[in-house]
Amino acid sequence: MRIVAEHLSYTYDASSPFAARALDDVSLTIEEGEFFGILGHTGSGKSTFVQHLNGLIRLPSSQKRYRPKKGQALPVLRVGEFDLADKKTDFKALRKRVGMVFQYPEYQLFAETVRDDVAFGLKNFAEKGKMPTEEARTEAVKSALEIVGLDYGEVADQSPFDLSGGQKRRVAIAGVIVTRPEVLILDEPAAGLDPLGKKEIMELLHRIHGDWCKTIVIVSHDMDEIAENCTRAAVFSEGKVVMCATPKEIFSDEARLSALGLDLPLVAKLCHALRARGISIDCDDKTEDFVRAVLSLKEGGA
Amino acid sequence: MKDVSFGQYYPIDSYVHRLDPRLKLLFLIVYIVCIFLANNFAALGVCAAVLIVTVIFSRVPIGKVFRAVRGVIVLIMITAVLNLFFYTGEGEPLWEWGILAIYREGIFFSVFLILRILLLVVCSSLLTYTTTPVALTDGIESLLTPLKWIKFPVHELALIMSIALRMIPALTEETERIKNAQKARGADFESGNPVKRIKAFIPILIPLLLSALRRADELGDAMDSRCYMGGKKRTKYKKLRFSWRDLIAASVGAALLAGVIVMRIFLGGIL
């Protein structure tokens, strides 16, 4: 599903003294099959933007009492064949196909067993009178738990609250992908995890990407995460999209990034440092790539 | 969930905002006493006039004030209707059907009651609109200080209150987040019969409860690790001081109380 957003704006608590502008005329297109990154500081509007994508925040024009204002570019938001600016859109059907993993998703676990928690979405999204059979459900839960790297036999009957932090997060992710959404959005999926946990979560996302979920969108403020994993990324700042390109292009514009108060990923920093010493190196800002480039330099050059 | 702004502090600067919270609390108590002492329309009218002037001076938008009333409108209607039909006055009823009867006095009494509740609600919400929760708890703590003589834990009580108030927005936000997360997993909170709808809230309530307990634990640990001890030796960040403004408000309160008592004695009756 292709995601097209044009002229998206959003203000929290409009018409109150607490009004805060979160999105300001955002236009962005995410193609099917991408591993898209959304970068930005806290309060840059990145979370607000992704909540639009599965209709948790509605466009004004999709709400009951809506009167268009004159002289304003009408916002457009389309996800696949769903037109989110339309009142008649079936938001439940949309949510089935656009999965959303919130920040610290382990805090939304509630059921008595891991099995029940993962099956929650499965039951909710079942069409009327078409509840999947017990076996079909078990099968879906089993494959979801396995792709996130958990052993079904071991955890299925445990209480989700008895698991470790990293395991809880995997269960929560399994609970979202169990319905096989085409687009998976994750808000800071690796926040609060140790380096190994972060790496495992990213590996998990690459396992899911492709066959399981065609498009993945991650929100992050970790430059390394974006540089290592994404095919393309957008930089949000004060509610606006200020850059949208491949990570390599984004991180080559050091001056612009530092003006936005954003840091470079480690590999990009090393490349810059090497270049400053007259050693030119061409790589993709990925650790593996970098190591390979440095090794070949050593073999060829020295 | 977004409607919780009822009674939320309205951050502007005005004469009423600047009053000492202790004085505002005392004024509210005196005002409520006045409303209940007033037994005729003239006295209640004076009370209403004082409140209207206060609202004007507070510069809180009139829409906000009415919003506070909206929350209790059902309560007001029920009380009014019950009184209208079951109040037994003297003389012939105006209308009668079985045990229901409307008397002239009943109508007056109902109107009187509606006004009373309205004034009560507007006045108390004005207090929370114009006073920050912190100032309010400071005020309560200061007013309750005499109770320390009977070993009543005033400071601890004030602390519990301010923590509770502090946590309301945090938990509201948390609720919103959990609700969205479950909505994203297809949870439906808007359709189905009442039993089904109540059941639909379990996936919100359990995570919310857990998060409240976790926050409480963390806050307790954080306070412990900074050696927090309630009690005598703590000083205040903001010291409360009475000023000329408070003197004016205090005289208005006293005059109102005196006026209502005089009217009660000399006018009497509901009319």
Side-chain angles (χ1 to χ4, degrees):
Chain A
M1 290 162 103
R2 188 167 186 246
I3 299 168
V4 181
E6 279 165 28
H7 309 299
L8 222 55
S9 292
Y10 188 79
T11 308
Y12 281 102
D13 292 319
S15 78
S16 90
F18 306 100
R21 183 134 226 199
L23 288 182
D24 188 1
D25 199 32
V26 166
S27 299
L28 191 62
T29 304
I30 301 173
E31 302 292 342
E32 182 167 299
E34 283 198 278
F35 198 121
F36 197 87
I38 293 180
L39 263 173
H41 276 302
T42 322
S44 59
K46 51 194 196 321
S47 294
T48 310
F49 175 73
V50 293
Q51 284 188 52
H52 275 86
L53 300 183
N54 70 347
L56 289 173
I57 297 176
R58 300 271 197 97
L59 292 186
S61 61
S62 75
Q63 277 158 357
K64 275 177 200 153
R65 281 174 296 171
Y66 170 69
R67 279 182 212 91
K69 277 181 211 148
K70 276 179 199 165
Q72 221 177 19
L74 221 51
V76 174
L77 183 56
R78 278 195 305 273
V79 178
E81 70 271 23
F82 294 95
D83 180 2
L84 273 67
D86 191 352
K87 280 178 212 175
K88 286 177 235 119
T89 304
D90 181 355
F91 281 95
K92 204 165 171 178
L94 169 76
R95 283 178 198 145
K96 185 177 178 181
R97 296 177 56 192
V98 180
M100 172 103 183
V101 179
F102 277 81
Q103 246 181 78
Y104 296 102
E106 56 271 31
Y107 294 150
Q108 50 171 291
L109 299 173
F110 69 95
E112 278 168 58
T113 62
V114 168
R115 185 206 317 267
D116 287 349
D117 209 291
V118 176
F120 181 65
L122 217 51
K123 287 182 192 167
N124 286 331
F125 284 124
E127 283 165 48
K128 242 189 176 150
K130 280 195 208 160
M131 180 63 82
T133 58
E134 188 71 44
E135 292 88 67
R137 259 188 280 157
T138 309
E139 202 45 52
V141 170
K142 195 173 172 190
S143 51
L145 282 173
E146 262 154 26
I147 202 160
V148 298
L150 291 169
D151 183 25
Y152 177 81
E154 193 187 317
V155 297
D157 291 308
Q158 280 194 38
S159 159
F161 304 112
D162 290 339
L163 301 175
S164 76
Q167 282 175 319
K168 277 187 198 168
R169 186 162 300 183
R170 283 148 188 271
V171 170
I173 294 175
V176 175
I177 63 167
V178 71
T179 51
R180 299 201 172 237
E182 285 168 51
V183 179
L184 182 65
I185 302 163
L186 302 104
D187 194 348
E188 300 276 2
L193 295 178
D194 56 47
L196 187 65
K198 279 186 189 187
K199 197 168 161 250
E200 282 173 358
I201 289 283
M202 285 303 151
E203 280 168 4
L204 179 172
L205 293 182
H206 282 291
R207 270 205 304 279
I208 298 171
H209 186 218
D211 285 346
W212 200 294
C213 302
K214 283 198 189 108
T215 315
I216 288 190
V217 179
I218 61 169
V219 173
S220 178
H221 60 243
D222 184 336
M223 305 299 142
D224 293 295
E225 223 166 271
I226 301 281
E228 294 282 335
N229 300 294
C230 296
T231 53
R232 228 156 50 94
V235 181
F236 274 64
S237 178
E238 289 169 10
K240 286 187 166 81
V241 176
V242 286
M243 291 164 105
C244 182
T246 63
K248 193 178 177 183
E249 285 162 344
I250 289 178
F251 296 125
S252 62
D253 198 348
E254 196 185 353
R256 182 112 185 253
L257 278 174
S258 68
L260 292 167
L262 292 171
D263 210 3
L264 281 177
L266 185 63
V267 171
K269 266 190 209 158
L270 289 172
C271 285
H272 283 295
L274 286 173
R275 257 174 233 140
R277 283 180 171 68
I279 304 167
S280 112
I281 196 163
D282 186 49
C283 78
D284 237 356
D285 285 350
K286 292 188 184 171
T287 317
E288 239 173 82
D289 240 34
F290 177 75
V291 172
R292 204 171 294 135
V294 170
L295 285 178
S296 71
L297 208 69
K298 200 178 158 195
E299 278 164 21
Chain B
M1 258 301 151
K2 277 163 193 144
D3 301 338
V4 287
S5 66
F6 156 62
Q8 197 185 37
Y9 180 63
Y10 192 81
I12 47 168
D13 187 24
S14 80
Y15 174 79
V16 181
H17 281 74
R18 285 183 184 201
L19 286 173
D20 190 295
R22 287 172 293 181
L23 184 103
K24 281 192 264 192
L25 279 161
L26 286 177
F27 191 92
L28 179 68
I29 295 168
V30 168
Y31 191 80
I32 292 171
V33 169
C34 285
I35 296 174
F36 284 97
L37 277 179
N39 61 347
N40 53 56
F41 276 107
L44 206 60
V46 174
C47 292
V50 169
L51 187 58
I52 290 167
V53 172
T54 319
V55 170
I56 292 169
F57 270 102
S58 76
R59 291 179 36 219
V60 174
I62 201 79
K64 277 269 173 197
V65 177
F66 279 118
R67 191 178 233 182
V69 175
R70 216 170 55 187
V72 290
I73 203 89
V74 179
L75 179 78
I76 293 180
M77 295 319 280
I78 291 174
T79 342
V81 167
L82 286 180
N83 274 289
L84 185 63
F85 287 119
F86 293 107
Y87 190 92
T88 316
E90 293 158 19
E92 282 294 298
L94 300 172
W95 179 83
E96 207 170 4
W97 187 76
I99 54 160
L100 303 177
I102 296 180
Y103 291 86
R104 212 168 73 92
E105 292 92 333
I107 297 176
F108 285 127
F109 195 71
S110 298
V111 174
F112 199 75
L113 216 61
I114 293 177
L115 280 176
R116 244 184 200 169
I117 302 177
L118 275 183
L119 293 181
L120 204 65
V121 171
V122 171
C123 185
S124 17
S125 60
L126 195 63
L127 177 73
T128 47
Y129 278 141
T130 60
T131 321
T132 61
V134 177
L136 210 55
T137 31
D138 273 356
I140 292 172
E141 183 179 354
S142 168
L143 287 178
L144 291 182
T145 310
L147 287 181
K148 277 186 183 157
W149 285 97
I150 56 163
K151 306 263 181 199
F152 185 80
V154 175
H155 176 80
E156 284 74 9
L157 185 78
L159 183 72
I160 292 170
M161 268 185 62
S162 52
I163 292 175
L165 288 168
R166 154 74 185 78
M167 284 299 168
I168 291 174
L171 287 180
T172 315
E173 206 176 282
E174 187 88 13
T175 315
E176 199 60 33
R177 192 163 45 228
I178 296 170
K179 195 173 170 184
N180 272 341
Q182 308 298 26
K183 256 186 177 170
R185 294 209 279 165
D188 189 352
F189 305 107
E190 274 104 31
S191 59
N193 58 41
V195 178
K196 211 173 160 190
R197 268 195 230 186
I198 291 171
K199 264 185 146 173
F201 276 95
I202 293 175
I204 296 182
L205 290 179
I206 291 177
L208 189 65
L209 192 68
L210 284 171
S211 119
L213 292 175
R214 194 182 58 241
R215 274 170 198 270
D217 263 348
E218 281 170 4
L219 185 63
D221 285 346
M223 287 166 79
D224 249 355
S225 65
R226 289 177 217 175
C227 304
Y228 181 88
M229 286 277 278
K232 278 178 197 161
K233 282 179 188 160
R234 299 198 71 81
T235 50
K236 288 266 179 232
Y237 171 54
K238 271 187 183 161
K239 269 216 168 350
L240 298 175
R241 273 201 192 90
F242 284 114
S243 71
W244 56 269
R245 287 186 210 92
D246 304 297
L247 194 67
I248 299 174
S251 357
V252 171
L256 180 68
L257 186 61
V260 169
I261 292 174
V262 167
M263 278 193 269
R264 187 182 167 90
I265 295 170
F266 292 101
L267 292 175
I270 199 156
L271 297 172

